[in-house]
Amino acid sequence: MNLSMKWLSDFVDLGNRTTKDFINGMTLSGSKVECYEVEGAEITNVIVGKILEKNQHENAERLFVCSVDIGKDEPIQIVTNAKNVQVGDLVPVALDGATVFDEGKPLKIKKGKVRGVVSVGMFCGLDTLKLTTHDFPYADKDGVLVIKEDCQIGEDIHSALGLNDTSVEFEITSNRPDCLSVIGLARETSATFDIPLSVQEPSFKGIDGDITNDLKVNVINKDICKRYCAGIVKNVKIEPSPRWLRERLRASGIRPINNFVDITNYVMLEYGQPMHAFDFKYVEGGEINIRNAQDGEKIVTLDGVERTLSSDMLVIADSKKPIAVAGVMGGEYSGIMDGTVTDLPLTETVVFESACFDPISVRRTAKALGMRTDSSARFEKGLDQQAVKKALIRAFQLVEELGAGDVVSTIIDDDNTNKTPKTVEFSSEWINNFLGTNIPEIDMIKYLNSLGFEVKDGLVYAPTFRVDIERPCDIAEEVARIYGYNNITSTNFKGVADAQLTASQKFENNISNTMVSTGCYEIATFSFISPKYFDKIHLPKNSKLRDTVTITNPLGEDTSVMRTTIIPSMMEILSKNYNNRNASAKLFEVGNEYIPTQKDKLPIEPKRLAIGMYGNNCDFFELKGTVEVLLNNIGVQNVEYSRPTEDCPFDEVSAFHPTRTAIVKSNDVAIGIIGEVHPTVTSEYGIDTKVYIGKFLVPEMMQIAITEKSYRPLPKYPASTRDISLVCDKSLPAGDIQKAIEESFGKTLENVTLFDIFTDESKIGKGKKSLSYSIVMRSSEGTLTDEQVDGAMKRVLKALSKIGAELRM
């Protein structure tokens, strides 16, 4: 909300308070100020001048030499190419050293020569002063501004053209729609600075006549439209608004159009009540019906777009068709025609409407149609139902003041509002206890009265414009902000905060800390991706992961669906690092995937861990080692690594190398997949080196993890170590061999470590490989004897022979 300080002065007198004093006070009382702007502050040393002479330039046929009176002893000389200025015209003159604008950028004016003739300044047009023909309709948009205002020669251009207002921008919260108006902010100003508020009750004279002879109004849906007021103006005169009105609209960020459009905008800004004016000749049947649209019904709105309506949208309709979307925007032919930009007949009679529509209905309609206007933004927050008629009367008052037409004295007011005021229990003792203050009750009542509240019989009666008042704490807030937050004594918190991390948060933190300890860097990627990402990882066409949640209003195709797998996100970051010539990368992310459920239901959002690395002699075993450290730290035990099968639970297996991939299981539950990325996939991402990635299911790991740590005393007895070298087929997984060793030993086994792999077929046979293991045994009951160790080793060799692994000779 942009507030004109000139406009504000109509209602309150700030006295000697500066703009900064005003801003500080309003912010501290709860009306937050974003910034302020002084009109024309960038324009300097520009005054009003009068052209005394205009002669042809002696060296240029398109240039003129002018003698200009600027209110000083001697006139000045200016060379110009302007054809629209004549002797006797008043024009803006930028003197030597002035700052104006050229195509929106500051321009410094300097004295100089033009084709050999001295020029000590420049005439200014609208663009040079950052103005438009909406601000001065009589001006030539391509020429010099010939001033027709009442001003003096030598007068500063700011006062001469009304470029001397200050606009203060407020951030109005959604619960305070009453502050989306000049009067609302004036009321806050009055209460903040304890100064009188002067708001005159609007009135108009009107001409004799019964509006019901010309217009009929039917409010069919009274639940959504609680109040509807309408009036008629005859003998309409469409013309530019007076300068004072144009100035106030400009300072408020609204472009002046014509007197009738400007009146509706002016009243909306002053009272916070959106209004609309209809050209009566396009209201067929002289009838206005406030009803729900029919499914498939269409309307062309004022912005020229045809929109399809549905039955849950409220419209303003005549006897045949919709002429406006209630609370959002009028129809194409409901506008006021002045004949300047259209061949349609001129407007002769205007219908003004002022209404109160249900905020939820307006919001849903605006969202469904993809349009948001000043009107809908106000209605969405909930407006004062009792201000509807007052705003209409104010509009008619302005019509008469501007001589824009004859207002019919009677109006239609279909009022179905609840007149019972909101009440909240009042207790000064409770408020003081709640705030930690000692404010006298009489002061509290004074603060509330200044804001429009009434206190009597132990109750606070909220004014109709305060739609946010519901509970005693709301009243306490009003007292506190006018009393002054800075005046409330600081106190220590009572009690002890009992906030703790949840079990899942602790588990995820443990994952992140462990990954960082292994040398990985954490990344965070967007959850919305492109559908093309699935093709880049060669995901099967029939994969369930291609069933995604589609975003209704995406930023673009590259962010149009929610990801069902985190792997493409990791690959994108690895690709970016590689193509930015980072020699190596070791990354991880804990993020969500989004798995669709039933239609119109929210998706499931499981947490996933992604690991990715390349470069720096990175291989499968480095990734596997990182995973082992992670699983050990988070308490996942009994881990196995196996080759993917046809019924692999991870559809992303298509992105992995067929023989360098492993499914990670714990207690026969698949918790992740790791391996080398398929070469064709890495080429899709523009990576020319081997890449290793992994994906782990965080909730599943948390469910089986043993997070409690138990004390284990240092061993009392020495360990026995045996090294064995085995020969087996290359196809036999090392994990199967390790599993067979562990199952054969039982409790005496302390550790099994694979420390060598030998694949020279000339020495061990074709299709064979040699694996060497170090086996550590220990008993908690005593020192193991040679007989016990040898017996255990015999059991191991016997078990290994069953799976095709023999002792290497």
Side-chain angles (χ1 to χ4, degrees), residues 22 59 81 143 159 277 343 407 417 437 497 510 564 641 646 690 762:
F22 170 74
N59 299 321
N81 64 350
S159 60
D343 295 330
V407 182
T417 60
T437 57
N510 193 10
T564 52
Y641 299 86
E646 291 185 359
K690 292 182 178 180
S762 64

Side-chain angles (χ1 to χ4, degrees), residues 523 570-587 614:
I523 62 171
M570 175 59 71
M571 289 298 299
E572 288 291 328
I573 302 302
L574 290 172
S575 172
K576 183 176 292 187
N577 275 270
Y578 181 81
N579 288 298
N580 283 333
R581 298 187 178 180
N582 289 332
S584 62
K586 195 174 181 183
L587 312 174
Y614 71 82

